[in-house]
Amino acid sequence: MTRRPTISQVAELAGVSKATVSKAFNNRGGVSEQTRIRVLGVAAGLGWRPSARAVALTSGGSGAVGFVINRPPTLLSSDPYFAELLSGIERTLAEHGYWLLMQIAEHSTPAQERDAYVSLAQTQRIDGVFLAESRIMDQRFDIVAELDLPAVIVSRPWARTDIPWEGAAHPGGGVADAVAHLAGLGHRRLAYVAGPPDRSHVQFRTQAFLEAVAENGLSVVGISRTDFSAEEGHRATGDLLGQREAPTAILYDSDPMAIAGCRAAMARGMRVPEDLSVIGHDDIHLSRWTTPALTTIRQDVQGLGERCAARLLELLGVLVAPGVALPEPELVIRESTGPAR
């Protein structure tokens, strides 16, 4: 069969109406068990199933899920992480007939953030929501529970919660390998340019960094907090290199910050990696094309998006084929790290 099978073909071969086919798949009354089995058997033989969106609409849902990104749009435009994450989410949602309703805005107060979720749930009538960049004390967990809104947390949360999450089992993974790599190159003074301290993944990585530094007998000469932007990465690098005891290597919480950090070092007349070793995080596509090519910690961001979308669809009663397990973050060694001088 070259064309996608239709509900009309299922109805014709099963000898029933299209309405009966719909009732059989939605477990609604008015259909005998014998007829239900026959309809499901014909549909399986043809390889037909109702779209998830159609099922959602039939059951009173909207066929849409929401994603609120609490960042300024200008900041988001410079961070490829979310583009890759959304690519994975959209790919899986589209396969099952769902669509994504996204809101990008900076909610500076808890009340503004709460209003955003209430509006999505009650006005836009989304069926579920993704919770990205979970925080140490995250009010969104209480908000979705209050709204009775199915949700999936993107990446492991800091504290235990009943809300399901998808991501690496060890969010700080790769950081210990990065520190060990630098120690093997003779570096003894390390610094870390991190994101906001209330973010769960930032805390996991910072904890892994401090533990690895201690394990390798190295010194931390600075930890700078940023908003993840390249501009802040540039500023933080300049501050760290201007200290009396400057680092010989810096780890960053994102690749854009690491790339900007290389520029900040060059502006001070330093060379990477001869005078300063640099390690990023995420392994965005651009990282392999920079000069020097960026040593970074790789994570499968698109795969994370796919798994989060599949998990949310499962919560909504959609049958989703099981996906492969996410790989743990791993160090990718390129040209931006070298022996300490």
Side-chain angles (χ1 to χ4, degrees):
M1 184 173 293
T2 57
R3 294 184 180 179
R4 183 176 180 180
T6 66
I7 188 173
S8 296
Q9 292 172 318
V10 175
E12 181 179 356
L13 290 176
V16 298
S17 67
K18 290 191 292 185
T20 299
V21 174
S22 178
K23 290 179 180 179
F25 269 86
N26 290 303
N27 291 317
R28 297 174 66 184
V31 179
S32 68
E33 187 61 24
Q34 182 179 4
T35 299
R36 191 188 312 277
I37 293 173
R38 185 170 73 254
V39 169
L40 296 180
V42 169
L46 289 175
W48 179 87
R49 65 176 180 177
S51 71
R53 179 169 172 77
V55 173
L57 293 172
T58 300
S59 60
S62 67
V65 295
F67 197 157
V68 177
I69 301 179
N70 190 0
R71 285 198 189 191
T74 53
L75 177 59
L76 188 66
S77 66
S78 63
D79 190 346
Y81 170 88
F82 277 100
E84 294 190 21
L85 179 69
L86 290 170
S87 175
I89 288 175
E90 280 282 15
R91 182 183 298 120
T92 300
L93 292 180
E95 288 177 358
H96 295 84
Y98 268 77
W99 58 285
L100 182 67
L101 181 60
M102 186 167 61
Q103 181 186 105
I104 304 172
E106 184 177 18
H107 303 298
S108 56
T109 67
Q112 289 177 347
E113 185 174 54
R114 184 182 187 283
D115 288 345
Y117 284 91
V118 171
S119 176
L120 282 176
Q122 297 181 352
T123 305
Q124 303 295 337
R125 295 182 61 247
I126 58 172
D127 299 333
V129 68
F130 299 102
L131 303 177
E133 293 192 301
S134 66
R135 303 186 286 267
I136 303 304
M137 299 292 290
D138 203 324
Q139 69 157 354
R140 295 176 299 173
F141 298 174
D142 293 331
I143 293 173
V144 296
E146 176 188 335
L147 296 172
D148 195 23
L149 189 62
V152 169
I153 302 170
V154 181
S155 296
R156 183 173 184 169
W158 183 253
R160 294 179 65 89
T161 174
D162 292 333
I163 302 173
W165 59 272
E166 286 289 340
H170 305 286
V175 174
D177 291 337
V179 172
H181 169 61
L182 293 171
L185 292 172
H187 292 276
R188 292 294 175 264
R189 300 192 308 277
L190 273 57
Y192 187 44
V193 177
D198 66 334
R199 302 299 196 272
S200 298
H201 65 288
V202 171
Q203 285 298 323
F204 281 120
R205 294 176 193 173
T206 304
Q207 183 181 60
F209 171 74
L210 294 174
E211 291 174 354
V213 166
E215 184 177 338
N216 286 276
L218 311 181
S219 298
V220 177
V221 297
I223 295 180
S224 183
R225 299 296 183 181
T226 71
D227 61 3
F228 288 120
S229 69
E231 290 78 10
E232 278 290 280
H234 189 280
R235 175 203 60 77
T237 303
D239 292 345
L240 290 168
L241 295 178
Q243 298 176 159
R244 173 180 295 182
E245 189 177 29
T248 62
I250 304 178
L251 281 75
Y252 295 79
D253 245 345
S254 74
D255 286 349
M257 289 202 299
I259 293 170
C262 290
R263 295 288 298 177
M266 292 171 59
R268 302 178 69 90
M270 301 176 70
R271 297 168 298 166
V272 176
E274 290 83 358
D275 302 314
L276 177 72
S277 284
V278 168
I279 298 180
H281 202 291
D282 292 341
D283 192 27
I284 63 173
H285 182 71
L286 185 63
S287 298
R288 69 200 66 181
W289 301 110
T290 58
T291 302
L294 186 64
T295 296
T296 184
I297 296 170
R298 173 183 294 161
Q299 59 175 341
D300 184 1
V301 181
Q302 287 192 24
L304 174 61
E306 292 173 358
R307 287 191 63 89
C308 288
R311 188 70 175 273
L312 185 55
L313 289 174
E314 289 173 354
L315 293 179
L316 300 178
V318 179
L319 295 177
V320 181
V324 298
L326 277 176
E328 290 295 312
E330 63 173 336
L331 179 67
V332 179
I333 300 173
R334 296 196 180 106
E335 301 168 351
S336 65
T337 50
R341 298 185 57 163

